[in-house]
Amino acid sequence: AQKVTQAQTEISVVEKEDVTLDCVYETRDTTYYLFWYKQPPSGELVFLIRRNSFDEQNEISGRYSWNFQKSTSSFNFTITASQVVDSAVYFCALSEAHGNYGQNFVFGPGTRLSVLP
Amino acid sequence: KAGVTQTPRYLIKTRGQQVTLSCSPISGHRSVSWYQQTPGQGLQFLFEYFSETQRNKGNFPGRFSGRQFSNSRSEMNVSTLELGDSALYLCASSSRAGHQPQHFGDGTRLSIL
């Protein structure tokens, strides 16, 4: 069965600090997809990144970067020089392949990030 | 481009009643998924529809059902409401089925009294 663990329930940092959010997943599939979503106080989930299981390249997008390591089943998310607007709950999610269609997302419990001014 | 629209935003019901929630996906998106979000259980997948067919279903009792119309709009129905059904119900759409980034609506907050 698929499972996503985000061990950090809450993190507080001071503005401009770097912060890494951990995500560990479990799956028996060899083909799967990993995602990060952000849920700001307004409530709407915002897609940040998708990675498939065959692409272990790290990715950087502005202040955001992601480190995908299949050997440790981890897909960690780092925010560099954090800002107050980064305060949100961040969810890591896993989607396994189910034939040609259909997706069954499993979300982690989320990490609440508070960036203090 | 308009985002995912969910109606109503807020709903108050009593135990035993039934409720129908509506979701209009982003134009051109044919996949619609539903999620339940509660403080205790987090985000849980309910089901996914693609081209009017349910493609996947999470571990929820049969009281939770859904459907999708030919214009890709989707409805979710919960019958015989229980206190534990109080939650934020989120709808997400994607361009096609199969591991695509999902675009979420603002959700419907359902409170059961």
Side-chain angles (χ1 to χ4, degrees), chain A residues 5-14 16-24 36 58-59 63-69 74-82 86 88 90-92 110-115:
Chain A
T5 302
Q6 294 179 257
Q8 304 146 309
T9 306
E10 293 191 39
I11 301 176
S12 287
V13 298
V14 177
K16 296 184 183 174
E17 284 185 5
D18 297 348
V19 58
T20 295
L21 309 181
D22 297 333
C23 172
V24 174
W36 275 95
N58 293 330
E59 179 152 340
R63 296 184 298 107
Y64 296 170
S65 62
W66 290 270
N67 183 297
F68 176 28
Q69 292 195 333
S74 64
F75 186 43
N76 296 336
F77 172 31
T78 297
I79 301 175
T80 303
S82 60
D86 295 328
Y90 290 86
F91 292 94
C92 180
T111 296
R112 181 177 299 278
L113 174 65
S114 298
V115 181

Tab-separated table of all heavy atoms in Angstrom, chain A residues 5-14 16-24 36 58-59 63-69 74-82 86 88 90-92 110-115:
chain	number	residue	atom	x	y	z
A	5	THR	N	4.831	10.035	4.373
A	5	THR	CA	5.111	10.501	5.725
A	5	THR	C	5.803	11.854	5.678
A	5	THR	O	6.792	12.037	4.959
A	5	THR	CB	6.011	9.502	6.473
A	5	THR	OG1	5.360	8.218	6.511
A	5	THR	CG2	6.271	9.963	7.893
A	6	GLN	N	5.268	12.773	6.438
A	6	GLN	CA	5.922	14.073	6.632
A	6	GLN	C	6.102	14.203	8.136
A	6	GLN	O	5.186	14.545	8.857
A	6	GLN	CB	5.054	15.195	6.064
A	6	GLN	CG	4.907	15.145	4.556
A	6	GLN	CD	4.019	16.249	4.039
A	6	GLN	OE1	2.860	16.025	3.710
A	6	GLN	NE2	4.568	17.450	3.931
A	7	ALA	N	7.293	13.891	8.576
A	7	ALA	CA	7.537	13.769	10.012
A	7	ALA	C	7.440	15.106	10.746
A	7	ALA	O	7.127	15.154	11.936
A	7	ALA	CB	8.894	13.134	10.262
A	8	GLN	N	7.716	16.188	10.049
A	8	GLN	CA	7.673	17.509	10.679
A	8	GLN	C	6.235	18.031	10.661
A	8	GLN	O	5.689	18.332	9.614
A	8	GLN	CB	8.581	18.491	9.933
A	8	GLN	CG	10.021	18.032	9.803
A	8	GLN	CD	10.614	18.493	8.485
A	8	GLN	OE1	10.028	18.278	7.426
A	8	GLN	NE2	11.776	19.122	8.522
A	9	THR	N	5.646	18.139	11.832
A	9	THR	CA	4.271	18.631	11.902
A	9	THR	C	4.251	20.141	11.725
A	9	THR	O	3.437	20.676	10.971
A	9	THR	CB	3.647	18.259	13.250
A	9	THR	OG1	3.773	16.861	13.453
A	9	THR	CG2	2.186	18.657	13.299
A	10	GLU	N	5.138	20.814	12.443
A	10	GLU	CA	5.209	22.270	12.371
A	10	GLU	C	6.664	22.710	12.400
A	10	GLU	O	7.489	22.132	13.111
A	10	GLU	CB	4.474	22.913	13.556
A	10	GLU	CG	2.980	22.708	13.543
A	10	GLU	CD	2.282	23.580	14.572
A	10	GLU	OE1	2.677	24.729	14.765
A	10	GLU	OE2	1.324	23.079	15.200
A	11	ILE	N	6.950	23.726	11.607
A	11	ILE	CA	8.291	24.324	11.598
A	11	ILE	C	8.128	25.836	11.657
A	11	ILE	O	7.277	26.396	10.951
A	11	ILE	CB	9.071	23.959	10.314
A	11	ILE	CG1	9.230	22.456	10.167
A	11	ILE	CG2	10.435	24.634	10.314
A	11	ILE	CD1	9.909	22.068	8.860
A	12	SER	N	8.945	26.455	12.477
A	12	SER	CA	8.984	27.926	12.517
A	12	SER	C	10.393	28.384	12.204
A	12	SER	O	11.359	27.861	12.778
A	12	SER	CB	8.576	28.442	13.898
A	12	SER	OG	7.197	28.287	14.110
A	13	VAL	N	10.489	29.333	11.315
A	13	VAL	CA	11.790	29.909	10.984
A	13	VAL	C	11.635	31.422	10.942
A	13	VAL	O	10.517	31.951	10.856
A	13	VAL	CB	12.323	29.389	9.629
A	13	VAL	CG1	12.526	27.891	9.674
A	13	VAL	CG2	11.420	29.793	8.490
A	14	VAL	N	12.771	32.074	10.982
A	14	VAL	CA	12.772	33.526	10.852
A	14	VAL	C	13.034	33.853	9.396
A	14	VAL	O	13.785	33.157	8.703
A	14	VAL	CB	13.846	34.152	11.767
A	14	VAL	CG1	13.901	35.662	11.573
A	14	VAL	CG2	13.568	33.809	13.225
A	16	LYS	N	14.251	34.859	5.909
A	16	LYS	CA	15.551	34.763	5.247
A	16	LYS	C	16.307	33.485	5.607
A	16	LYS	O	17.356	33.219	5.006
A	16	LYS	CB	16.428	35.988	5.502
A	16	LYS	CG	15.831	37.271	4.928
A	16	LYS	CD	16.751	38.460	5.113
A	16	LYS	CE	16.066	39.728	4.586
A	16	LYS	NZ	16.850	40.941	4.855
A	17	GLU	N	15.799	32.726	6.537
A	17	GLU	CA	16.428	31.432	6.818
A	17	GLU	C	16.044	30.439	5.730
A	17	GLU	O	14.999	30.551	5.100
A	17	GLU	CB	15.966	30.880	8.171
A	17	GLU	CG	16.588	31.533	9.371
A	17	GLU	CD	16.176	30.837	10.672
A	17	GLU	OE1	15.489	29.800	10.607
A	17	GLU	OE2	16.526	31.343	11.730
A	18	ASP	N	16.893	29.441	5.524
A	18	ASP	CA	16.553	28.337	4.631
A	18	ASP	C	15.824	27.270	5.445
A	18	ASP	O	16.100	27.089	6.638
A	18	ASP	CB	17.821	27.715	4.033
A	18	ASP	CG	18.600	28.698	3.177
A	18	ASP	OD1	18.069	29.770	2.847
A	18	ASP	OD2	19.767	28.380	2.855
A	19	VAL	N	14.904	26.568	4.802
A	19	VAL	CA	14.168	25.531	5.515
A	19	VAL	C	13.920	24.349	4.571
A	19	VAL	O	13.650	24.549	3.378
A	19	VAL	CB	12.832	26.072	6.067
A	19	VAL	CG1	11.953	26.641	4.959
A	19	VAL	CG2	12.086	25.024	6.870
A	20	THR	N	14.058	23.152	5.106
A	20	THR	CA	13.809	21.943	4.313
A	20	THR	C	12.653	21.165	4.913
A	20	THR	O	12.642	20.878	6.115
A	20	THR	CB	15.065	21.049	4.268
A	20	THR	OG1	16.100	21.746	3.563
A	20	THR	CG2	14.769	19.747	3.519
A	21	LEU	N	11.708	20.826	4.067
A	21	LEU	CA	10.550	20.030	4.462
A	21	LEU	C	10.767	18.602	3.970
A	21	LEU	O	11.031	18.383	2.785
A	21	LEU	CB	9.269	20.615	3.852
A	21	LEU	CG	9.047	22.114	4.062
A	21	LEU	CD1	7.734	22.551	3.430
A	21	LEU	CD2	9.102	22.479	5.522
A	22	ASP	N	10.644	17.666	4.879
A	22	ASP	CA	10.939	16.278	4.542
A	22	ASP	C	9.691	15.527	4.072
A	22	ASP	O	8.584	15.756	4.556
A	22	ASP	CB	11.513	15.547	5.763
A	22	ASP	CG	12.836	16.145	6.222
A	22	ASP	OD1	13.550	16.737	5.386
A	22	ASP	OD2	13.142	16.029	7.428
A	23	CYS	N	9.915	14.601	3.155
A	23	CYS	CA	8.838	13.745	2.665
A	23	CYS	C	9.422	12.364	2.390
A	23	CYS	O	10.384	12.236	1.629
A	23	CYS	CB	8.230	14.316	1.395
A	23	CYS	SG	7.046	13.207	0.585
A	24	VAL	N	8.854	11.357	3.007
A	24	VAL	CA	9.266	9.971	2.765
A	24	VAL	C	8.037	9.202	2.294
A	24	VAL	O	6.961	9.348	2.862
A	24	VAL	CB	9.834	9.343	4.052
A	24	VAL	CG1	10.124	7.858	3.833
A	24	VAL	CG2	11.113	10.057	4.475
A	36	TRP	N	4.310	18.084	-4.730
A	36	TRP	CA	4.230	18.980	-3.583
A	36	TRP	C	3.137	20.006	-3.862
A	36	TRP	O	3.046	20.552	-4.971
A	36	TRP	CB	5.552	19.699	-3.329
A	36	TRP	CG	6.525	18.912	-2.513
A	36	TRP	CD1	7.528	18.121	-2.965
A	36	TRP	CD2	6.593	18.858	-1.082
A	36	TRP	NE1	8.212	17.561	-1.912
A	36	TRP	CE2	7.665	18.004	-0.754
A	36	TRP	CE3	5.850	19.453	-0.041
A	36	TRP	CZ2	8.019	17.717	0.572
A	36	TRP	CZ3	6.203	19.178	1.260
A	36	TRP	CH2	7.275	18.319	1.563
A	58	ASN	N	17.372	16.650	-9.592
A	58	ASN	CA	16.878	17.676	-8.691
A	58	ASN	C	16.395	18.863	-9.499
A	58	ASN	O	16.820	19.068	-10.640
A	58	ASN	CB	17.966	18.101	-7.714
A	58	ASN	CG	18.317	16.977	-6.754
A	58	ASN	OD1	17.477	16.149	-6.429
A	58	ASN	ND2	19.560	16.937	-6.326
A	59	GLU	N	15.514	19.615	-8.902
A	59	GLU	CA	14.956	20.752	-9.631
A	59	GLU	C	15.000	22.000	-8.766
A	59	GLU	O	14.815	21.948	-7.552
A	59	GLU	CB	13.518	20.463	-10.047
A	59	GLU	CG	12.869	21.625	-10.800
A	59	GLU	CD	11.806	21.187	-11.762
A	59	GLU	OE1	11.798	20.007	-12.160
A	59	GLU	OE2	10.964	22.026	-12.114
A	63	ARG	N	13.359	30.315	-5.506
A	63	ARG	CA	13.833	30.015	-4.152
A	63	ARG	C	13.514	28.586	-3.740
A	63	ARG	O	13.891	28.144	-2.657
A	63	ARG	CB	13.196	30.998	-3.160
A	63	ARG	CG	13.588	32.442	-3.381
A	63	ARG	CD	12.991	33.365	-2.308
A	63	ARG	NE	11.537	33.368	-2.326
A	63	ARG	CZ	10.774	32.772	-1.416
A	63	ARG	NH1	11.321	32.110	-0.404
A	63	ARG	NH2	9.450	32.839	-1.494
A	64	TYR	N	12.785	27.861	-4.584
A	64	TYR	CA	12.373	26.500	-4.263
A	64	TYR	C	13.300	25.487	-4.929
A	64	TYR	O	13.703	25.664	-6.081
A	64	TYR	CB	10.951	26.229	-4.774
A	64	TYR	CG	9.851	27.039	-4.148
A	64	TYR	CD1	8.563	27.019	-4.690
A	64	TYR	CD2	10.056	27.809	-3.012
A	64	TYR	CE1	7.524	27.739	-4.128
A	64	TYR	CE2	9.030	28.540	-2.449
A	64	TYR	CZ	7.767	28.501	-3.003
A	64	TYR	OH	6.740	29.222	-2.439
A	65	SER	N	13.594	24.421	-4.216
A	65	SER	CA	14.338	23.327	-4.826
A	65	SER	C	13.844	22.008	-4.236
A	65	SER	O	13.351	21.968	-3.113
A	65	SER	CB	15.858	23.491	-4.602
A	65	SER	OG	16.162	23.464	-3.220
A	66	TRP	N	13.980	20.962	-5.033
A	66	TRP	CA	13.487	19.650	-4.621
A	66	TRP	C	14.586	18.616	-4.815
A	66	TRP	O	15.282	18.609	-5.837
A	66	TRP	CB	12.260	19.257	-5.451
A	66	TRP	CG	11.060	20.085	-5.125
A	66	TRP	CD1	10.118	19.826	-4.187
A	66	TRP	CD2	10.694	21.322	-5.742
A	66	TRP	NE1	9.175	20.828	-4.179
A	66	TRP	CE2	9.510	21.757	-5.114
A	66	TRP	CE3	11.246	22.119	-6.747
A	66	TRP	CZ2	8.867	22.932	-5.465
A	66	TRP	CZ3	10.605	23.291	-7.091
A	66	TRP	CH2	9.440	23.688	-6.465
A	67	ASN	N	14.722	17.740	-3.845
A	67	ASN	CA	15.730	16.687	-3.882
A	67	ASN	C	15.018	15.340	-3.830
A	67	ASN	O	14.429	14.980	-2.808
A	67	ASN	CB	16.683	16.845	-2.684
A	67	ASN	CG	17.800	15.829	-2.709
A	67	ASN	OD1	17.552	14.635	-2.620
A	67	ASN	ND2	19.018	16.300	-2.862
A	68	PHE	N	15.071	14.611	-4.953
A	68	PHE	CA	14.388	13.324	-5.066
A	68	PHE	C	15.442	12.230	-4.992
A	68	PHE	O	16.358	12.192	-5.818
A	68	PHE	CB	13.638	13.268	-6.400
A	68	PHE	CG	12.965	11.950	-6.691
A	68	PHE	CD1	12.527	11.114	-5.677
A	68	PHE	CD2	12.742	11.557	-8.012
A	68	PHE	CE1	11.896	9.912	-5.961
A	68	PHE	CE2	12.111	10.359	-8.304
A	68	PHE	CZ	11.690	9.537	-7.283
A	69	GLN	N	15.332	11.345	-4.017
A	69	GLN	CA	16.287	10.247	-3.873
A	69	GLN	C	15.516	8.943	-3.737
A	69	GLN	O	14.941	8.662	-2.669
A	69	GLN	CB	17.188	10.475	-2.661
A	69	GLN	CG	18.155	11.645	-2.824
A	69	GLN	CD	19.263	11.627	-1.785
A	69	GLN	OE1	19.082	11.106	-0.691
A	69	GLN	NE2	20.406	12.195	-2.112
A	74	SER	N	12.790	9.371	-0.662
A	74	SER	CA	12.530	10.700	-0.123
A	74	SER	C	12.397	11.728	-1.246
A	74	SER	O	13.005	11.583	-2.317
A	74	SER	CB	13.638	11.122	0.839
A	74	SER	OG	14.872	11.251	0.165
A	75	PHE	N	11.609	12.731	-0.975
A	75	PHE	CA	11.383	13.802	-1.947
A	75	PHE	C	11.269	15.089	-1.140
A	75	PHE	O	10.190	15.582	-0.859
A	75	PHE	CB	10.116	13.522	-2.752
A	75	PHE	CG	9.865	14.500	-3.881
A	75	PHE	CD1	10.891	14.927	-4.707
A	75	PHE	CD2	8.580	14.971	-4.128
A	75	PHE	CE1	10.658	15.813	-5.750
A	75	PHE	CE2	8.339	15.855	-5.167
A	75	PHE	CZ	9.378	16.278	-5.980
A	76	ASN	N	12.423	15.626	-0.774
A	76	ASN	CA	12.466	16.771	0.136
A	76	ASN	C	12.402	18.100	-0.596
A	76	ASN	O	12.855	18.225	-1.733
A	76	ASN	CB	13.722	16.714	0.998
A	76	ASN	CG	13.741	15.498	1.903
A	76	ASN	OD1	12.693	14.936	2.228
A	76	ASN	ND2	14.930	15.071	2.302
A	77	PHE	N	11.882	19.083	0.083
A	77	PHE	CA	11.595	20.395	-0.489
A	77	PHE	C	12.310	21.458	0.338
A	77	PHE	O	12.129	21.512	1.551
A	77	PHE	CB	10.071	20.583	-0.479
A	77	PHE	CG	9.568	21.937	-0.860
A	77	PHE	CD1	10.243	22.741	-1.765
A	77	PHE	CD2	8.367	22.409	-0.327
A	77	PHE	CE1	9.743	23.986	-2.136
A	77	PHE	CE2	7.872	23.654	-0.686
A	77	PHE	CZ	8.555	24.443	-1.583
A	78	THR	N	13.122	22.265	-0.315
A	78	THR	CA	13.864	23.309	0.381
A	78	THR	C	13.442	24.684	-0.110
A	78	THR	O	13.344	24.911	-1.317
A	78	THR	CB	15.376	23.139	0.186
A	78	THR	OG1	15.785	21.894	0.764
A	78	THR	CG2	16.147	24.283	0.849
A	79	ILE	N	13.184	25.558	0.828
A	79	ILE	CA	12.911	26.967	0.503
A	79	ILE	C	14.121	27.762	0.972
A	79	ILE	O	14.506	27.705	2.148
A	79	ILE	CB	11.643	27.481	1.208
A	79	ILE	CG1	10.430	26.631	0.805
A	79	ILE	CG2	11.400	28.954	0.866
A	79	ILE	CD1	9.156	26.996	1.565
A	80	THR	N	14.715	28.465	0.050
A	80	THR	CA	15.887	29.280	0.362
A	80	THR	C	15.441	30.712	0.651
A	80	THR	O	14.540	31.231	-0.002
A	80	THR	CB	16.855	29.273	-0.834
A	80	THR	OG1	17.203	27.908	-1.126
A	80	THR	CG2	18.122	30.065	-0.523
A	81	ALA	N	16.072	31.314	1.637
A	81	ALA	CA	15.748	32.705	1.989
A	81	ALA	C	14.235	32.878	2.158
A	81	ALA	O	13.586	33.634	1.427
A	81	ALA	CB	16.285	33.667	0.927
A	82	SER	N	13.695	32.165	3.113
A	82	SER	CA	12.242	32.130	3.307
A	82	SER	C	11.662	33.532	3.504
A	82	SER	O	12.339	34.455	3.993
A	82	SER	CB	11.902	31.246	4.500
A	82	SER	OG	12.513	31.745	5.674
A	86	ASP	N	5.667	32.643	2.496
A	86	ASP	CA	5.829	31.190	2.376
A	86	ASP	C	5.076	30.450	3.483
A	86	ASP	O	4.975	29.224	3.460
A	86	ASP	CB	7.310	30.802	2.449
A	86	ASP	CG	8.120	31.337	1.279
A	86	ASP	OD1	7.556	31.454	0.161
A	86	ASP	OD2	9.308	31.658	1.468
A	88	ALA	N	2.531	28.560	5.235
A	88	ALA	CA	1.445	27.743	4.687
A	88	ALA	C	1.616	26.327	5.203
A	88	ALA	O	2.593	26.006	5.886
A	88	ALA	CB	1.486	27.745	3.155
A	90	TYR	N	2.301	22.643	3.800
A	90	TYR	CA	2.844	22.031	2.594
A	90	TYR	C	2.586	20.532	2.633
A	90	TYR	O	2.875	19.863	3.623
A	90	TYR	CB	4.347	22.312	2.487
A	90	TYR	CG	4.643	23.760	2.181
A	90	TYR	CD1	4.744	24.692	3.213
A	90	TYR	CD2	4.795	24.204	0.869
A	90	TYR	CE1	4.996	26.033	2.934
A	90	TYR	CE2	5.044	25.540	0.585
A	90	TYR	CZ	5.135	26.436	1.625
A	90	TYR	OH	5.369	27.758	1.349
A	91	PHE	N	2.043	20.040	1.531
A	91	PHE	CA	1.704	18.625	1.429
A	91	PHE	C	2.544	17.952	0.358
A	91	PHE	O	2.693	18.472	-0.755
A	91	PHE	CB	0.224	18.451	1.056
A	91	PHE	CG	-0.743	18.871	2.118
A	91	PHE	CD1	-1.282	20.146	2.107
A	91	PHE	CD2	-1.103	17.988	3.120
A	91	PHE	CE1	-2.179	20.546	3.084
A	91	PHE	CE2	-2.006	18.381	4.099
A	91	PHE	CZ	-2.538	19.664	4.082
A	92	CYS	N	3.047	16.798	0.701
A	92	CYS	CA	3.695	15.918	-0.262
A	92	CYS	C	2.666	14.852	-0.633
A	92	CYS	O	1.891	14.407	0.220
A	92	CYS	CB	4.924	15.295	0.403
A	92	CYS	SG	5.874	14.162	-0.630
A	110	GLY	N	1.025	16.695	5.994
A	110	GLY	CA	1.319	18.124	5.863
A	110	GLY	C	2.291	18.626	6.915
A	110	GLY	O	2.374	18.092	8.028
A	111	THR	N	3.022	19.652	6.532
A	111	THR	CA	3.920	20.358	7.453
A	111	THR	C	3.505	21.820	7.465
A	111	THR	O	3.466	22.463	6.408
A	111	THR	CB	5.390	20.248	7.007
A	111	THR	OG1	5.804	18.887	7.049
A	111	THR	CG2	6.285	21.090	7.906
A	112	ARG	N	3.199	22.324	8.639
A	112	ARG	CA	2.812	23.739	8.753
A	112	ARG	C	4.076	24.569	8.944
A	112	ARG	O	4.793	24.412	9.926
A	112	ARG	CB	1.863	23.955	9.932
A	112	ARG	CG	1.405	25.397	10.078
A	112	ARG	CD	0.411	25.555	11.214
A	112	ARG	NE	-0.792	24.770	10.982
A	112	ARG	CZ	-1.799	25.151	10.213
A	112	ARG	NH1	-1.763	26.343	9.614
A	112	ARG	NH2	-2.853	24.385	10.067
A	113	LEU	N	4.345	25.419	7.979
A	113	LEU	CA	5.524	26.279	8.027
A	113	LEU	C	5.104	27.687	8.411
A	113	LEU	O	4.225	28.269	7.771
A	113	LEU	CB	6.232	26.307	6.667
A	113	LEU	CG	7.398	27.292	6.533
A	113	LEU	CD1	8.535	26.906	7.468
A	113	LEU	CD2	7.888	27.368	5.082
A	114	SER	N	5.727	28.205	9.433
A	114	SER	CA	5.503	29.600	9.840
A	114	SER	C	6.803	30.353	9.672
A	114	SER	O	7.827	29.964	10.246
A	114	SER	CB	5.042	29.673	11.295
A	114	SER	OG	3.813	29.012	11.470
A	115	VAL	N	6.765	31.385	8.869
A	115	VAL	CA	7.943	32.222	8.668
A	115	VAL	C	7.690	33.533	9.400
A	115	VAL	O	6.765	34.278	9.057
A	115	VAL	CB	8.207	32.470	7.172
A	115	VAL	CG1	9.450	33.323	6.996
A	115	VAL	CG2	8.345	31.150	6.429
